[in-house]
Amino acid sequence: MPDNADNAGQPGIPHIEFRDVVKKFGDNTVLNDLNFTVAKGERVTLIGPSGSGKTTILRLVMTLEELTGGYVFVGGDPLQYEDRGGKRQRVPDKVRRRTTTQIGMVFQHFNLFPNMSVLENIIEAPLHVMGLSKAEAIPKAEALLEKVGMADKRDFNPSQLSGGQQQRVAIARALAMDPEVLLLDEVTSALDPELVGEVLTVLKDIAEETDISMLIVTHEMQFARDVSDRVMMFDEGRIVEEGAPEKIFSSPESQRTQDFLRAVL
Amino acid sequence: MDGVIGFFEKLGPNLEILVARMPQILDGIQATVLATALGGLLALVIAIVFGIAQVAKYAAVRIAARIFVEFFRGTSLVVQLFWLAFVLPQLPYPFGWRLAPLVVAVLALGLNYGAYGAEVVRGSIGSVPRGQYEAISALSLSPMRGMFRVIIPQAWALMLPSLSNLWIQLLKGSAIVSTVLLYDLYFRVEQVRDQTGTWFAFLFALLAYYLLAWVIVIIMNALEVRAKHKIGRGPALSKSWGMLFRAPGSVVKGGALV
């Protein structure tokens, strides 16, 4: 398991790096001078009360939010802003999209395209972003549907599926782009309780079978414990405490973490 | 003789006059249908182009589209017709075009209602849920591809009820094209009025326009049912023919009208 603290001394660059990140919504400062890294293949779960900035962190990696200050790097490439000759400059959209191609995201509300079938949802980006042919993209999509247990629904419309099924398709859609980083944003929060299990099972399998780096925001503490290499406790835009899941969940040091875990567990 | 009593007293002879004038009236209906269909088509193209241009990435494109829309929305249809028919031919070369009455009608109707339609298109693009834009971004699809493959097909279903209303308004607005010498349905009814009186002639005109409007409602309902079915909201058209005759924009759940 890669340990964050050792990264500075290693030649390899961190897979995700937040450097002096500031994020404000109007006058409201959500993240203030945030620094952290995620190593290649590492699974990091962000926990903490709502409004603590966890989802904002994921959305910054996916470049869905404008970075107010600082830099975010993925695989060493700057995402929205780069430092050019001491000046903070905007990265051109086309360059940014080349970097974000290696990032996949699964959303709380699935966000499948309702005007496309399940299969079309999955092959859209591989065809038009990765440049695969249909002959390459379709078998790949079918294999992914098999993996998430949705092979028999390939020609269905998203509206004909349950929430759990839609989310499994959304996971397959994200994986179809061969992401090196996967962002999971409260992927079970919008699901009926009895559908949560099927989605988490799929994600656990993927965590075991691949070495994709993952940044996870979840309220499912057992899932966090099962898949994470490291857990970071957030409050008011700061990392209150971080460490291996066993340590955070069994013997948290910070009073804030203890209070939070007592409330959610 | 006119008035309600006159209407009933002379119903028989008036109907005979109407039948006798039917060839001209049908010519008028043809002109109205042509102006409405071609004007509607032009309006649709303008609405889509300028609706999308108003949400373009480049400010210059957005501002140009905005000025165009405000101009054609804010100037009277009658004035636009007169400009195209009577002022344009007087302009110096190379602009001194003398356009056929039908072309004038189609251009003016298309530009005027297209400007209104552009607002509808812009609004419906903005009504597609934010999550769809985020998914486009998360899959690194280009904004252009996302717009045409994901956003527009969904916005299409949202904009159809309003476009349906606009098209019916265009049909009714077309009744002034006789002022630029296009001999449409209204013009032919005016001719009949001399012989039959206002009551009879304009009652016929009401009915004729009403029936034409129904044709538009049925066409647009078919498009709307189809578009909604494609985004998973409502049954296929082949399973819901009754939907063709309802009010535009009705909410449908599980195949039943709500």
Side-chain angles (χ1 to χ4, degrees):
Chain A
M1 186 186 78
D3 189 342
N4 185 42
D6 293 338
N7 270 333
Q10 287 176 358
I13 35 174
H15 207 176
I16 304 172
E17 179 180 2
F18 273 56
R19 192 185 293 168
D20 309 328
V21 166
V22 178
K23 175 62 193 172
K24 294 180 184 177
F25 292 103
D27 290 335
N28 181 21
T29 304
V30 180
L31 302 173
N32 195 6
D33 215 16
L34 180 68
N35 287 280
F36 73 89
T37 60
V38 175
K40 192 152 180 55
E42 193 181 18
R43 279 71 194 255
V44 177
T45 299
L46 312 178
I47 61 169
S50 30
S52 59
K54 302 163 303 197
T55 288
T56 303
I57 290 170
L58 262 54
R59 294 172 61 83
L60 282 171
V61 177
M62 196 67 257
T63 68
L64 297 177
E65 299 286 354
E66 178 76 16
L67 199 55
T68 314
Y71 305 91
V72 177
F73 301 88
V74 169
D77 298 319
L79 275 180
Q80 291 181 36
Y81 288 92
E82 61 185 329
D83 188 57
R84 242 184 285 154
K87 262 187 164 170
R88 188 166 176 268
Q89 303 249 2
R90 216 180 153 72
V91 175
D93 278 357
K94 278 194 176 155
V95 178
R96 173 179 59 84
R97 273 208 298 282
R98 217 163 343 171
T99 312
T100 55
T101 307
Q102 48 184 312
I103 309 168
M105 184 161 184
V106 183
F107 298 90
Q108 183 177 354
H109 295 288
F110 335 130
N111 297 351
L112 292 176
F113 303 138
N115 56 316
M116 299 183 190
S117 72
V118 163
L119 184 77
E120 287 168 335
N121 261 280
I122 297 174
I123 63 175
E124 179 68 17
L127 289 183
H128 301 294
V129 179
M130 297 168 86
L132 296 189
S133 68
K134 276 199 169 171
E136 295 165 308
I138 292 174
K140 187 178 170 188
E142 285 170 338
L144 283 166
L145 282 173
E146 187 75 45
K147 189 187 247 178
V148 299
M150 295 289 295
D152 55 331
K153 300 282 196 290
R154 58 163 258 174
D155 295 318
F156 279 54
N157 194 284
S159 63
Q160 296 168 288
L161 306 179
S162 73
Q165 291 173 326
Q166 288 191 53
Q167 194 60 297
R168 284 187 278 153
V169 172
I171 293 166
R173 182 173 72 170
L175 291 176
M177 290 290 284
D178 294 329
E180 292 171 33
V181 174
L182 190 61
L183 308 169
L184 304 175
D185 184 15
E186 303 197 23
V187 295
T188 57
S189 298
L191 299 178
D192 292 335
E194 74 269 22
L195 302 177
V196 169
E198 63 187 65
V199 171
L200 293 184
T201 307
V202 162
L203 288 172
K204 272 186 228 167
D205 287 349
I206 291 160
E208 272 169 33
E209 293 164 18
T210 68
D211 60 350
I212 302 173
S213 307
M214 294 185 188
L215 204 49
I216 303 163
V217 172
T218 184
H219 297 296
E220 297 289 330
M221 293 304 153
Q222 188 55 47
F223 173 68
R225 197 191 274 253
D226 291 345
V227 300
S228 319
D229 298 314
R230 180 155 52 107
V231 175
M232 296 203 287
M233 166 73 195
F234 269 81
D235 192 29
E236 294 175 346
R238 298 173 182 285
I239 304 170
V240 176
E241 184 172 2
E242 62 177 311
E246 307 81 51
K247 180 181 160 293
I248 297 285
F249 289 120
S250 322
S251 51
E253 283 167 14
S254 140
Q255 183 62 43
R256 191 68 195 86
T257 314
Q258 291 169 18
D259 293 345
F260 174 73
L261 289 175
R262 199 170 315 121
V264 298
L265 285 179
Chain B
M1 177 53 64
D2 218 334
V4 186
I5 295 166
F7 172 79
F8 285 109
E9 277 177 346
K10 298 181 80 183
L11 189 58
N14 280 347
L15 281 172
E16 276 168 32
I17 294 168
L18 193 68
V19 171
R21 296 296 290 255
M22 205 35 93
Q24 287 94 329
I25 290 172
L26 286 176
D27 277 354
I29 289 178
Q30 191 189 3
T32 292
V33 167
L34 264 180
T36 304
L38 296 177
L41 215 56
L42 179 64
L44 178 65
V45 172
I46 288 173
I48 290 177
V49 169
F50 286 88
I52 294 174
Q54 283 186 84
V55 295
K57 187 176 152 192
Y58 302 104
V61 177
R62 287 201 304 270
I63 291 166
R66 191 82 222 136
I67 291 171
F68 176 92
V69 167
E70 290 299 344
F71 179 80
F72 282 102
R73 204 169 56 148
T75 52
S76 152
L77 178 58
V78 181
V79 177
Q80 286 169 19
L81 274 171
F82 283 12
W83 257 88
L84 286 169
F86 306 125
V87 180
L88 191 63
Q90 296 179 29
L91 291 181
Y93 181 84
F95 294 108
W97 299 330
R98 193 170 294 281
L99 303 171
L102 179 64
V103 178
V104 169
V106 167
L107 274 178
L109 291 168
L111 287 167
N112 197 278
Y113 287 92
Y116 281 99
E119 289 298 284
V120 171
V121 171
R122 182 177 67 98
S124 56
I125 287 174
S127 303
V128 173
R130 222 183 124 63
Q132 294 293 307
Y133 291 90
E134 295 184 346
I136 288 167
S137 191
L139 290 168
S140 301
L141 289 166
S142 73
M144 196 67 123
R145 176 160 290 280
M147 181 58 78
F148 286 100
R149 290 279 298 168
V150 179
I151 302 299
I152 300 282
Q154 293 178 57
W156 177 241
L158 298 175
M159 70 178 79
L160 277 169
S162 302
L163 291 184
S164 175
N165 282 333
L166 275 180
W167 201 13
I168 291 168
Q169 281 181 24
L170 186 151
L171 163 70
K172 295 181 295 186
S174 77
I176 60 163
V177 295
S178 59
T179 55
V180 295
L181 307 177
L182 181 64
Y183 301 137
D184 70 331
L185 172 59
Y186 182 79
F187 178 83
R188 298 299 181 186
V189 169
E190 270 283 309
Q191 286 183 322
V192 177
R193 185 180 63 97
D194 289 343
Q195 294 163 288
T196 62
T198 44
W199 264 89
F200 181 82
F202 289 134
L203 193 68
F204 171 75
L206 278 183
L207 264 175
Y209 275 102
Y210 183 69
L211 290 177
L212 288 177
W214 260 107
V215 175
I216 292 181
V217 168
I218 288 170
I219 293 173
M220 294 303 273
N221 278 349
L223 286 175
E224 191 192 332
V225 170
R226 188 166 155 270
K228 282 196 171 154
H229 178 64
K230 279 198 169 174
I231 61 168
R233 290 200 223 153
L237 188 54
S238 56
K239 291 186 184 129
S240 54
W241 292 109
M243 312 257 305
L244 291 183
F245 303 97
R246 88 235 136 95
S250 308
V251 178
V252 178
K253 276 186 186 147
L257 286 176
V258 178

